[in-house]
Amino acid sequence: MGAAGAAAGLPDGVILSLDKSLLYNIAIQLFNVAVLTVALIFLLYKPVRKFLAERRQTIRAELEEARAIRDEALEQKEQYEKLIAGIESEREEILRQTHKRAMEKSDQMLFDARREAEVIYSRAQAELELERENLNDEMKRQIIEISHMMAGRFVQVSMDRAAQDRFIEHALSEWSGGGNDDGEGGEGEGGDGR
Amino acid sequence: MDPKAFVLGCSALAAGLATLSGLGSGLGQGIAAGKAAEAVGRQPDARGEIMSTMLVGAAVAETCSVYGLIIALILLLANPLVALL
Amino acid sequence: MDFSNKNLGVLFRIGDETIYFNQTHLSTWIVMGMLLILAVIVRLALPRFSAVPRGFQNVVEALVEVMSNFAKSTMGERFEGYGGIYFSIFSFILVSNYSGLVGLRPPTADLATTAALGLITFALIQIGGVREQRGQYLKSFFKPYPIFFPINLVGELSKPVSLAFRLFGNMLGGVIIVGLVYQMLPLALRFLLPDVLHAYFDIFAGALQAFIFTVLSMTFIRQKSVTD
């Protein structure tokens, strides 16, 4: 007993009625659902689908772009790696070359230094020899001088006229007979004569 | 005996009998659920697929008992037999 | 106990027949208004939709995507338009079934609504069949033998009837059972106890019936439209 319906003078409602009013109600609901369907398709379904399709497109484009960029980057990386590998080998080559050259140079320098040292050494040796000879000469001369002086004094002291003559004679004969005696003796005689 | 009362009483009985159609569909749904459980046990990966298939099948099987319910409702609420009296 | 579809006013009169404005019409219009407002909100928010879906946008997108993909996968690329129709019908049935949760009488608990939905599916099945098979469609009723024509005809007519009555019976059964429990319980117990029933009859069965109506409709359309 619908209280509200009874109050308004309306008939009771039904749960299920198979009569003519059902057909009208079906028509009403058909209209309602059709309106709703059309409205939802044009308000909700199509725009959202368009949005989704656009987004899919955008994402695909972005993905492709990203893939292209990645490929490019990979290519560049490969190039750089190749370049770096080239640089490495070049560096090694240069290093080896430089090393070799340095070795050669150092060998050369060592050799030069040794030769120079040898030259210097031999020169020094020669000078030393010369010096020694000079020294020897000096010593001889001094010895001669000293002996000359001693001889002079001895002669002054002990020589008389006869002995002097004999001596000169002996010296002269020796001079003429053994003139080919070593120069030193001669020189010594010469110095003595002066 | 009032013929209307008799018709209405028989209609009530018929409505009760009509809801017995739920028996078959209940049995069928139970079997379907059991088979679905078996299938899930055998292939746990296909759980979603099995579930949706089972639910659709169960709902279709339920149509039968829903028809019984409709007939019961018609007999109780929109009895066409009373109008024949 | 009164589970009837109460009359709230007079809608219009045709001849000696008076069409009353009943609860079903009221809930239908409320559901329609809700869906339309939602659609307008989405339409207005669409330009501001982000590329990464979040929250409400996610739900809308998922529903649209699922319907469109479902139409495409069950019926093929050419039938994508059906996706929009069944997207709308699914939304309507779902919201209608859930309208029982806020105290309305679900529009789907009225045979008029479900019969209207069944007739829409019936019309789409026939349109699809005629458009795809042309003359062959009429012949298909006489297969495999002409004697099978009545059976085929009944089978064809039973499709919208079964769709309509399935939805109607399930929803009305829910309304009656939940209503009976409400009547039975004293006022103090009416708060938490019927929630279980609401969860089953409104939420679970509501979603399931909406899904099944859509799936079966699409399957029927495919059967008649796609010739292998």
Side-chain angles (χ1 to χ4, degrees):
Chain A
M1 312 299 127
L10 295 165
D12 279 348
V14 290
I15 292 183
L16 179 61
S17 65
L18 299 174
D19 53 8
K20 224 158 118 191
S21 72
L22 178 67
L23 293 180
Y24 289 110
N25 278 327
I26 287 176
I28 292 168
Q29 291 299 69
L30 208 55
F31 173 75
N32 283 342
V33 173
V35 167
L36 182 70
T37 301
V38 171
L40 280 188
I41 286 175
F42 283 100
L43 272 176
L44 196 59
Y45 187 72
K46 285 205 170 164
V48 170
R49 264 189 57 76
K50 208 176 129 215
F51 170 76
L52 288 179
E54 271 169 14
R55 193 176 61 190
R56 195 171 299 131
Q57 199 66 38
T58 328
I59 287 174
R60 188 171 297 147
E62 271 171 15
L63 220 64
E64 249 159 43
E65 200 183 341
R67 195 166 294 146
I69 287 172
R70 197 194 61 186
D71 284 353
E72 201 178 318
L74 278 179
E75 202 172 296
Q76 246 168 30
K77 194 181 148 208
E78 205 170 300
Q79 247 170 27
Y80 281 141
E81 258 165 18
K82 218 183 277 172
L83 221 66
I84 284 169
I87 284 172
E88 193 79 6
S89 71
E90 202 174 327
R91 194 183 67 118
E92 243 156 48
E93 180 67 23
I94 288 171
L95 211 65
R96 223 184 51 224
Q97 212 113 46
T98 314
H99 198 70
K100 213 170 90 187
R101 210 172 296 154
M103 285 298 264
E104 273 171 9
K105 203 153 197 170
S106 92
D107 277 357
Q108 182 74 30
M109 269 162 80
L110 217 61
F111 182 70
D112 282 358
R114 198 168 289 152
R115 224 176 48 189
E116 202 165 330
E118 256 167 31
V119 167
I120 288 170
Y121 179 74
S122 63
R123 195 176 295 158
Q125 202 85 349
E127 255 171 42
L128 209 65
E129 203 68 25
L130 212 65
E131 196 77 3
R132 193 182 286 157
E133 256 168 38
N134 280 356
L135 216 64
N136 270 358
D137 279 359
E138 191 81 2
M139 237 155 81
K140 251 177 217 163
R141 226 176 50 226
Q142 277 184 1
I143 287 172
I144 287 169
E145 257 173 32
I146 287 169
S147 65
H148 186 242
M149 213 163 63
M150 276 169 70
R153 194 149 302 163
F154 177 72
V155 167
Q156 237 175 356
V157 171
S158 65
M159 205 171 258
D160 54 355
R161 190 83 193 161
Q164 194 182 356
D165 286 347
R166 212 176 45 230
F167 190 77
I168 288 166
E169 235 163 82
H170 175 74
L172 280 174
S173 71
E174 211 171 87
W175 212 7
S176 61
N180 53 345
D181 219 353
D182 53 333
E184 269 173 305
E187 208 173 15
E189 288 296 309
D192 173 44
R194 259 185 282 149
Chain B
M1 189 164 57
D2 184 7
K4 195 173 175 185
F6 182 71
V7 167
L8 282 176
C10 283
S11 298
L13 272 177
L17 285 174
T19 51
L20 281 181
S21 63
L23 200 71
S25 79
L27 213 66
Q29 283 183 356
I31 290 170
K35 294 279 181 195
E38 263 178 37
V40 171
R42 207 175 298 130
Q43 227 175 342
D45 295 339
R47 195 168 178 280
E49 194 102 349
I50 291 166
M51 277 286 277
S52 61
T53 311
M54 192 267 281
L55 283 178
V56 172
V60 173
E62 201 177 278
T63 312
C64 181
S65 65
V66 168
Y67 288 161
L69 173 71
I70 301 289
I71 288 169
L73 288 175
I74 288 174
L75 286 174
L76 288 178
L77 306 164
N79 199 327
L81 303 174
V82 176
L84 294 178
L85 287 175
Chain C
M1 281 183 290
D2 189 9
F3 313 112
S4 63
N5 190 4
K6 292 186 196 69
N7 293 321
L8 303 172
V10 177
L11 203 60
F12 58 83
R13 288 175 215 274
I14 293 178
D16 54 349
E17 189 84 24
T18 311
I19 303 302
Y20 295 100
F21 176 69
N22 54 29
Q23 283 182 311
T24 299
H25 298 146
L26 179 70
S27 353
T28 305
W29 285 347
I30 290 173
V31 167
M32 275 174 70
M34 228 192 83
L35 280 171
L36 288 178
I37 288 170
L38 212 68
V40 169
I41 288 174
V42 170
R43 186 74 190 83
L44 293 180
L46 198 57
R48 282 183 283 109
F49 266 21
S50 51
V52 181
R54 199 180 310 114
F56 175 65
Q57 183 192 348
N58 226 335
V59 176
V60 173
E61 277 182 18
L63 206 55
V64 169
E65 193 86 57
V66 162
M67 276 297 160
S68 147
N69 285 342
F70 198 73
K72 260 190 263 183
S73 67
T74 54
M75 298 190 286
E77 202 72 44
R78 278 178 306 152
F79 295 90
E80 218 219 295
Y82 287 101
I85 296 171
Y86 280 104
F87 166 76
S88 309
I89 288 180
F90 178 81
S91 311
F92 175 67
I93 296 176
L94 190 71
V95 177
S96 294
N97 293 350
Y98 282 4
S99 68
L101 290 173
V102 294
L104 291 170
R105 186 190 167 85
T108 40
D110 185 356
L111 187 58
T113 314
T114 59
L117 292 170
L119 281 179
I120 289 176
T121 292
F122 182 71
L124 288 175
I125 293 171
Q126 304 315 317
I127 289 171
V130 170
R131 208 173 61 178
E132 292 304 313
Q133 303 184 25
R134 306 280 169 198
Q136 295 295 308
Y137 181 61
L138 216 61
K139 275 189 210 155
S140 72
F141 281 98
F142 295 94
K143 279 176 184 168
Y145 300 109
I147 195 104
F148 278 84
F149 174 69
I151 295 173
N152 284 333
L153 193 66
V154 168
E156 196 61 33
L157 291 176
S158 76
K159 281 175 187 170
V161 174
S162 80
L163 280 176
F165 275 112
R166 181 182 302 116
L167 186 53
F168 166 65
N170 272 286
M171 285 304 112
L172 184 67
V175 166
I176 290 176
I177 291 170
V178 173
L180 280 174
V181 169
Y182 269 110
Q183 295 271 333
M184 183 184 78
L185 291 173
L187 203 62
L189 288 177
R190 284 187 192 173
F191 288 102
L192 282 171
L193 227 53
D195 287 359
V196 183
L197 294 174
H198 274 303
Y200 179 76
F201 286 108
D202 285 335
I203 295 175
F204 176 70
L208 188 63
Q209 292 307 319
F211 174 68
I212 281 163
F213 188 94
T214 316
V215 169
L216 286 180
S217 300
M218 284 188 176
T219 312
F220 289 150
I221 292 171
R222 201 236 330 237
Q223 273 177 0
K224 284 290 171 190
S225 302
V226 180
T227 47
D228 304 308

PDB file of all heavy atoms in Angstrom, chain A residues 141-161:
ATOM      1  N   ARG A 141     170.673  19.558 -16.553  1.00  0.00           N
ATOM      2  CA  ARG A 141     171.434  20.784 -16.689  1.00  0.00           C
ATOM      3  C   ARG A 141     171.962  21.246 -15.338  1.00  0.00           C
ATOM      4  O   ARG A 141     173.141  21.649 -15.187  1.00  0.00           O
ATOM      5  CB  ARG A 141     170.558  21.869 -17.323  1.00  0.00           C
ATOM      6  CG  ARG A 141     171.343  22.591 -18.430  1.00  0.00           C
ATOM      7  CD  ARG A 141     170.517  23.621 -19.162  1.00  0.00           C
ATOM      8  NE  ARG A 141     169.827  24.511 -18.298  1.00  0.00           N
ATOM      9  CZ  ARG A 141     168.533  24.822 -18.467  1.00  0.00           C
ATOM     10  NH1 ARG A 141     167.870  24.241 -19.436  1.00  0.00           N
ATOM     11  NH2 ARG A 141     167.971  25.665 -17.648  1.00  0.00           N
ATOM     12  N   GLN A 142     171.090  21.149 -14.391  1.00  0.00           N
ATOM     13  CA  GLN A 142     171.524  21.598 -13.067  1.00  0.00           C
ATOM     14  C   GLN A 142     172.665  20.714 -12.569  1.00  0.00           C
ATOM     15  O   GLN A 142     173.668  21.210 -12.003  1.00  0.00           O
ATOM     16  CB  GLN A 142     170.326  21.555 -12.107  1.00  0.00           C
ATOM     17  CG  GLN A 142     169.489  22.802 -12.260  1.00  0.00           C
ATOM     18  CD  GLN A 142     168.347  22.856 -11.249  1.00  0.00           C
ATOM     19  OE1 GLN A 142     168.228  21.949 -10.431  1.00  0.00           O
ATOM     20  NE2 GLN A 142     167.622  23.934 -11.307  1.00  0.00           N
ATOM     21  N   ILE A 143     172.458  19.390 -12.765  1.00  0.00           N
ATOM     22  CA  ILE A 143     173.533  18.487 -12.343  1.00  0.00           C
ATOM     23  C   ILE A 143     174.820  18.871 -13.039  1.00  0.00           C
ATOM     24  O   ILE A 143     175.905  18.965 -12.421  1.00  0.00           O
ATOM     25  CB  ILE A 143     173.139  17.031 -12.652  1.00  0.00           C
ATOM     26  CG1 ILE A 143     172.055  16.576 -11.649  1.00  0.00           C
ATOM     27  CG2 ILE A 143     174.373  16.118 -12.586  1.00  0.00           C
ATOM     28  CD1 ILE A 143     171.473  15.256 -11.982  1.00  0.00           C
ATOM     29  N   ILE A 144     174.732  19.136 -14.306  1.00  0.00           N
ATOM     30  CA  ILE A 144     175.908  19.515 -15.083  1.00  0.00           C
ATOM     31  C   ILE A 144     176.520  20.778 -14.530  1.00  0.00           C
ATOM     32  O   ILE A 144     177.753  20.879 -14.305  1.00  0.00           O
ATOM     33  CB  ILE A 144     175.553  19.692 -16.563  1.00  0.00           C
ATOM     34  CG1 ILE A 144     175.313  18.318 -17.210  1.00  0.00           C
ATOM     35  CG2 ILE A 144     176.679  20.431 -17.303  1.00  0.00           C
ATOM     36  CD1 ILE A 144     174.704  18.414 -18.569  1.00  0.00           C
ATOM     37  N   GLU A 145     175.591  21.754 -14.269  1.00  0.00           N
ATOM     38  CA  GLU A 145     176.109  23.027 -13.752  1.00  0.00           C
ATOM     39  C   GLU A 145     176.874  22.808 -12.451  1.00  0.00           C
ATOM     40  O   GLU A 145     177.981  23.339 -12.226  1.00  0.00           O
ATOM     41  CB  GLU A 145     174.944  23.997 -13.524  1.00  0.00           C
ATOM     42  CG  GLU A 145     174.844  25.034 -14.623  1.00  0.00           C
ATOM     43  CD  GLU A 145     173.597  25.896 -14.489  1.00  0.00           C
ATOM     44  OE1 GLU A 145     173.160  26.143 -13.341  1.00  0.00           O
ATOM     45  OE2 GLU A 145     173.034  26.284 -15.544  1.00  0.00           O
ATOM     46  N   ILE A 146     176.197  22.013 -11.585  1.00  0.00           N
ATOM     47  CA  ILE A 146     176.800  21.774 -10.287  1.00  0.00           C
ATOM     48  C   ILE A 146     178.133  21.077 -10.449  1.00  0.00           C
ATOM     49  O   ILE A 146     179.160  21.490  -9.869  1.00  0.00           O
ATOM     50  CB  ILE A 146     175.861  20.932  -9.397  1.00  0.00           C
ATOM     51  CG1 ILE A 146     174.672  21.791  -8.923  1.00  0.00           C
ATOM     52  CG2 ILE A 146     176.621  20.390  -8.180  1.00  0.00           C
ATOM     53  CD1 ILE A 146     173.588  21.001  -8.275  1.00  0.00           C
ATOM     54  N   SER A 147     178.153  20.038 -11.306  1.00  0.00           N
ATOM     55  CA  SER A 147     179.382  19.294 -11.512  1.00  0.00           C
ATOM     56  C   SER A 147     180.417  20.185 -12.142  1.00  0.00           C
ATOM     57  O   SER A 147     181.622  20.139 -11.779  1.00  0.00           O
ATOM     58  CB  SER A 147     179.115  18.059 -12.374  1.00  0.00           C
ATOM     59  OG  SER A 147     178.717  18.441 -13.655  1.00  0.00           O
ATOM     60  N   HIS A 148     179.943  21.083 -13.022  1.00  0.00           N
ATOM     61  CA  HIS A 148     180.847  22.024 -13.668  1.00  0.00           C
ATOM     62  C   HIS A 148     181.479  22.926 -12.652  1.00  0.00           C
ATOM     63  O   HIS A 148     182.723  23.178 -12.627  1.00  0.00           O
ATOM     64  CB  HIS A 148     180.056  22.819 -14.705  1.00  0.00           C
ATOM     65  CG  HIS A 148     180.919  23.709 -15.534  1.00  0.00           C
ATOM     66  ND1 HIS A 148     180.787  25.072 -15.537  1.00  0.00           N
ATOM     67  CD2 HIS A 148     181.970  23.431 -16.371  1.00  0.00           C
ATOM     68  CE1 HIS A 148     181.716  25.583 -16.339  1.00  0.00           C
ATOM     69  NE2 HIS A 148     182.448  24.588 -16.874  1.00  0.00           N
ATOM     70  N   MET A 149     180.646  23.418 -11.768  1.00  0.00           N
ATOM     71  CA  MET A 149     181.128  24.312 -10.726  1.00  0.00           C
ATOM     72  C   MET A 149     182.121  23.585  -9.838  1.00  0.00           C
ATOM     73  O   MET A 149     183.212  24.102  -9.520  1.00  0.00           O
ATOM     74  CB  MET A 149     179.935  24.754  -9.865  1.00  0.00           C
ATOM     75  CG  MET A 149     180.111  26.149  -9.342  1.00  0.00           C
ATOM     76  SD  MET A 149     178.524  26.819  -8.761  1.00  0.00           S
ATOM     77  CE  MET A 149     178.166  25.704  -7.438  1.00  0.00           C
ATOM     78  N   MET A 150     181.764  22.372  -9.477  1.00  0.00           N
ATOM     79  CA  MET A 150     182.630  21.582  -8.620  1.00  0.00           C
ATOM     80  C   MET A 150     183.932  21.302  -9.322  1.00  0.00           C
ATOM     81  O   MET A 150     185.016  21.468  -8.742  1.00  0.00           O
ATOM     82  CB  MET A 150     181.955  20.248  -8.249  1.00  0.00           C
ATOM     83  CG  MET A 150     181.011  20.413  -7.066  1.00  0.00           C
ATOM     84  SD  MET A 150     180.011  18.947  -6.835  1.00  0.00           S
ATOM     85  CE  MET A 150     181.283  17.819  -6.253  1.00  0.00           C
ATOM     86  N   ALA A 151     183.811  20.971 -10.585  1.00  0.00           N
ATOM     87  CA  ALA A 151     185.013  20.685 -11.372  1.00  0.00           C
ATOM     88  C   ALA A 151     185.890  21.924 -11.469  1.00  0.00           C
ATOM     89  O   ALA A 151     187.123  21.833 -11.267  1.00  0.00           O
ATOM     90  CB  ALA A 151     184.618  20.206 -12.773  1.00  0.00           C
ATOM     91  N   GLY A 152     185.240  23.075 -11.704  1.00  0.00           N
ATOM     92  CA  GLY A 152     186.004  24.333 -11.811  1.00  0.00           C
ATOM     93  C   GLY A 152     186.799  24.576 -10.548  1.00  0.00           C
ATOM     94  O   GLY A 152     187.995  24.935 -10.593  1.00  0.00           O
ATOM     95  N   ARG A 153     186.128  24.447  -9.414  1.00  0.00           N
ATOM     96  CA  ARG A 153     186.763  24.685  -8.144  1.00  0.00           C
ATOM     97  C   ARG A 153     187.907  23.721  -7.929  1.00  0.00           C
ATOM     98  O   ARG A 153     189.015  24.105  -7.499  1.00  0.00           O
ATOM     99  CB  ARG A 153     185.744  24.507  -7.015  1.00  0.00           C
ATOM    100  CG  ARG A 153     186.243  25.063  -5.727  1.00  0.00           C
ATOM    101  CD  ARG A 153     185.127  25.578  -4.844  1.00  0.00           C
ATOM    102  NE  ARG A 153     184.336  26.585  -5.436  1.00  0.00           N
ATOM    103  CZ  ARG A 153     183.129  26.894  -4.914  1.00  0.00           C
ATOM    104  NH1 ARG A 153     182.627  26.179  -3.863  1.00  0.00           N
ATOM    105  NH2 ARG A 153     182.440  27.861  -5.412  1.00  0.00           N
ATOM    106  N   PHE A 154     187.646  22.434  -8.224  1.00  0.00           N
ATOM    107  CA  PHE A 154     188.656  21.426  -8.086  1.00  0.00           C
ATOM    108  C   PHE A 154     189.845  21.745  -8.956  1.00  0.00           C
ATOM    109  O   PHE A 154     190.993  21.674  -8.476  1.00  0.00           O
ATOM    110  CB  PHE A 154     188.016  20.064  -8.465  1.00  0.00           C
ATOM    111  CG  PHE A 154     188.960  18.942  -8.432  1.00  0.00           C
ATOM    112  CD1 PHE A 154     189.437  18.456  -7.177  1.00  0.00           C
ATOM    113  CD2 PHE A 154     189.480  18.399  -9.603  1.00  0.00           C
ATOM    114  CE1 PHE A 154     190.330  17.401  -7.163  1.00  0.00           C
ATOM    115  CE2 PHE A 154     190.389  17.347  -9.552  1.00  0.00           C
ATOM    116  CZ  PHE A 154     190.795  16.832  -8.303  1.00  0.00           C
ATOM    117  N   VAL A 155     189.570  22.173 -10.164  1.00  0.00           N
ATOM    118  CA  VAL A 155     190.619  22.520 -11.110  1.00  0.00           C
ATOM    119  C   VAL A 155     191.398  23.692 -10.567  1.00  0.00           C
ATOM    120  O   VAL A 155     192.638  23.697 -10.547  1.00  0.00           O
ATOM    121  CB  VAL A 155     190.034  22.818 -12.481  1.00  0.00           C
ATOM    122  CG1 VAL A 155     191.059  23.493 -13.391  1.00  0.00           C
ATOM    123  CG2 VAL A 155     189.554  21.526 -13.133  1.00  0.00           C
ATOM    124  N   GLN A 156     190.804  24.746 -10.099  1.00  0.00           N
ATOM    125  CA  GLN A 156     191.431  25.927  -9.534  1.00  0.00           C
ATOM    126  C   GLN A 156     192.390  25.520  -8.420  1.00  0.00           C
ATOM    127  O   GLN A 156     193.455  26.058  -8.262  1.00  0.00           O
ATOM    128  CB  GLN A 156     190.339  26.855  -8.970  1.00  0.00           C
ATOM    129  CG  GLN A 156     190.429  28.216  -9.601  1.00  0.00           C
ATOM    130  CD  GLN A 156     189.251  29.083  -9.123  1.00  0.00           C
ATOM    131  OE1 GLN A 156     188.383  28.648  -8.405  1.00  0.00           O
ATOM    132  NE2 GLN A 156     189.314  30.324  -9.528  1.00  0.00           N
ATOM    133  N   VAL A 157     191.843  24.613  -7.591  1.00  0.00           N
ATOM    134  CA  VAL A 157     192.615  24.233  -6.425  1.00  0.00           C
ATOM    135  C   VAL A 157     193.817  23.385  -6.803  1.00  0.00           C
ATOM    136  O   VAL A 157     194.944  23.662  -6.399  1.00  0.00           O
ATOM    137  CB  VAL A 157     191.706  23.499  -5.416  1.00  0.00           C
ATOM    138  CG1 VAL A 157     192.515  22.881  -4.268  1.00  0.00           C
ATOM    139  CG2 VAL A 157     190.675  24.447  -4.855  1.00  0.00           C
ATOM    140  N   SER A 158     193.609  22.329  -7.620  1.00  0.00           N
ATOM    141  CA  SER A 158     194.610  21.297  -7.755  1.00  0.00           C
ATOM    142  C   SER A 158     195.388  21.270  -9.059  1.00  0.00           C
ATOM    143  O   SER A 158     196.319  20.494  -9.204  1.00  0.00           O
ATOM    144  CB  SER A 158     193.912  19.924  -7.546  1.00  0.00           C
ATOM    145  OG  SER A 158     193.022  19.722  -8.568  1.00  0.00           O
ATOM    146  N   MET A 159     195.070  22.107  -9.934  1.00  0.00           N
ATOM    147  CA  MET A 159     195.707  21.996 -11.234  1.00  0.00           C
ATOM    148  C   MET A 159     196.892  22.921 -11.341  1.00  0.00           C
ATOM    149  O   MET A 159     196.813  24.069 -11.016  1.00  0.00           O
ATOM    150  CB  MET A 159     194.701  22.287 -12.326  1.00  0.00           C
ATOM    151  CG  MET A 159     195.095  21.631 -13.630  1.00  0.00           C
ATOM    152  SD  MET A 159     193.809  21.744 -14.824  1.00  0.00           S
ATOM    153  CE  MET A 159     193.170  20.146 -14.733  1.00  0.00           C
ATOM    154  N   ASP A 160     197.955  22.338 -11.794  1.00  0.00           N
ATOM    155  CA  ASP A 160     199.080  23.169 -12.091  1.00  0.00           C
ATOM    156  C   ASP A 160     199.256  23.266 -13.568  1.00  0.00           C
ATOM    157  O   ASP A 160     198.396  22.855 -14.326  1.00  0.00           O
ATOM    158  CB  ASP A 160     200.316  22.540 -11.424  1.00  0.00           C
ATOM    159  CG  ASP A 160     200.512  21.095 -11.810  1.00  0.00           C
ATOM    160  OD1 ASP A 160     199.635  20.524 -12.529  1.00  0.00           O
ATOM    161  OD2 ASP A 160     201.503  20.507 -11.432  1.00  0.00           O
ATOM    162  N   ARG A 161     200.249  23.912 -13.942  1.00  0.00           N
ATOM    163  CA  ARG A 161     200.401  24.224 -15.350  1.00  0.00           C
ATOM    164  C   ARG A 161     200.509  22.993 -16.208  1.00  0.00           C
ATOM    165  O   ARG A 161     199.833  22.873 -17.217  1.00  0.00           O
ATOM    166  CB  ARG A 161     201.696  25.085 -15.487  1.00  0.00           C
ATOM    167  CG  ARG A 161     201.875  25.709 -16.857  1.00  0.00           C
ATOM    168  CD  ARG A 161     201.099  26.920 -16.931  1.00  0.00           C
ATOM    169  NE  ARG A 161     201.060  27.293 -18.379  1.00  0.00           N
ATOM    170  CZ  ARG A 161     200.173  28.104 -18.875  1.00  0.00           C
ATOM    171  NH1 ARG A 161     199.252  28.615 -18.029  1.00  0.00           N
ATOM    172  NH2 ARG A 161     200.162  28.435 -20.128  1.00  0.00           N
TER     173      ARG A 161
END
